[in-house]
Structures are given as C-alpha cells and as structure tokens.
Amino acid sequence: MDLWTVANGLRHHLSVVRGVTFVNSDNPLRAALVEGAKWGLKLAGISDPGFLNKIERTSVCIPLVVGNQSLVLLSSEDARDPVTYAEAVAHQAHHDAQSDDAGHVRVAWEYVISDELRAKREADAYAVGVWTRYLLTGLILSDSDSLVELETGPHHLDVGNLSLCRGVLVSHLATIRSGSCPPISTAKVILDYLKSNHPGSIKATSVL
C-alpha cells in the first residue's frame, strides 16, 4: 500500500467534504498567499506577531469570510513523510470544521483573544491528527508525550493553555487507545474514508 496515495486521497476527500483548499509547501503560490493572509488578518484587526509569524513556518488553517471555506497552507516539515502529511491534513481540516460550526470570523478572533477556546480547539484538532496517525500506524504517544508535543511542537500551547485542555486531550487519547473513534466529526469522516477506500492502510486492527 502506497501511503502517499492514501495521504493524497485523504487530502482530496477532505477538501471536497469540508470545502478546504490545501496548498502544499512546494507550491510557488504559498509565499504570496502567506503575505496575503497576513494582510487580511491585519485588516481584520488580528495583529498578534506570534500568530502572524506562525503561518510562515507551520501548517495553518485560515478561515475565509466568503463561501464558508478555509485555506490551509501546509508546511514542508509536515510533508516529510506520508503519515505526517495525512496527520497535518486531518488536523487542519478539523480547524475548518470548527470554523464552520462557530463562524469563521468568530473563530479567527477567538483564536487570538481566548486562551481557553484556542486550547480546546487545538486539543480537538490535535486528537484528529493523532487518530489519523493511529489508524495508519497502530501507534499512539503516551499522555505525557502528547502534552509535550502540544507544548513544543508547531501548535505551541504554553503551560497555562495546556492546563485548560489537558482533560479534553487525555479523554480523546483514552478513547483512541480503546479502539474507538473519538467523538469528533472529522475523525469519523476520516475513518469512513479509509474503511471505504483504503481498508488495507488501517494498521490499528482493533478498529476494523
């Protein structure tokens, strides 16, 4: 089973189901889109330098006001292997689902001004990524390692923010370890897609 075929198929499926435009790191349009996104965010009053710098070096989901869609700029780091790529695609696709549920403008504002809501949304999206990696490899990090990854990885939640989402994340991880799909809409979409289109790619045998 070619995992790049699986990962690219998942990206295409989520782009259709979720209404997301994914831009790979090697696309020459990415740099221009980053600058345009930064300009748009500043125009909307979002000028936090940490958030603006993040979109240059990591994968990020930018909610669009028009069309109830999102633009996802994928980083080169997340394209280093197909499982990491699929994990990033899944994580960012769920951020779009969050924007659809709460409203794209509202989510963009709350991401910057509300530590609690940002932490909860990052925990849910992170869990969708973990779920995707678990399905494709059968592997999952410990609770402590997952919290470290949230703190030191591209999601860069500080200790205070981690304390706000610890319970949510630990609950999702326990559900995944039990072989069950976490109660997150995008996680179910991914499971259904892999079962229907690439059942041989699922290494988490307890899920089958």
Side-chain angles (χ1 to χ4, degrees), residues 94-113:
H94 188 63
H95 279 317
D96 172 75
Q98 293 166 338
S99 295
D100 286 350
D101 291 342
H104 284 220
V105 174
R106 177 180 173 184
V107 165
W109 269 103
E110 290 177 346
Y111 189 91
V112 175
I113 66 174

Side-chain angles (χ1 to χ4, degrees), residues 164-188:
L164 296 172
C165 68
R166 180 186 300 270
V168 172
L169 178 59
V170 169
S171 176
H172 287 327
L173 295 176
T175 298
I176 293 171
R177 289 192 191 97
S178 74
S180 299
C181 180
I184 308 173
S185 59
T186 308
K188 182 64 164 59

Side-chain angles (χ1 to χ4, degrees), residues 1 9 16 28 32 63 80 90 97 101 103 111 125 140 148-149 173 180 187 189 204:
M1 174 64 65
V16 173
R80 65 184 184 271
D101 291 342
Y111 189 91
I140 184 171
V148 168
E149 188 171 59
L173 295 176
S180 299
V189 169

Side-chain angles (χ1 to χ4, degrees), residues 2 8 16 19-20 26 32 36 42 59 65 74 110 129-130 136 138 144 149 152 154 159 166 176 178 191 203:
D2 178 10
N8 286 320
V16 173
V20 179
D26 59 355
K42 288 180 179 178
S59 295
V65 177
L74 294 163
E110 290 177 346
V130 169
L136 295 176
S144 58
E149 188 171 59
T152 61
V159 174
R166 180 186 300 270
I176 293 171
S178 74
L191 176 62
K203 303 304 180 186

Side-chain angles (χ1 to χ4, degrees), residues 111 115 118-123 126 147-163 165 169:
Y111 189 91
D115 287 345
R118 174 172 173 259
K120 170 65 166 61
R121 286 172 180 146
E122 282 294 347
Y126 177 80
L147 289 165
V148 168
E149 188 171 59
L150 265 179
E151 180 181 5
T152 61
H155 317 295
H156 63 78
L157 292 180
D158 60 29
V159 174
N161 288 338
L162 280 175
S163 67
C165 68
L169 178 59

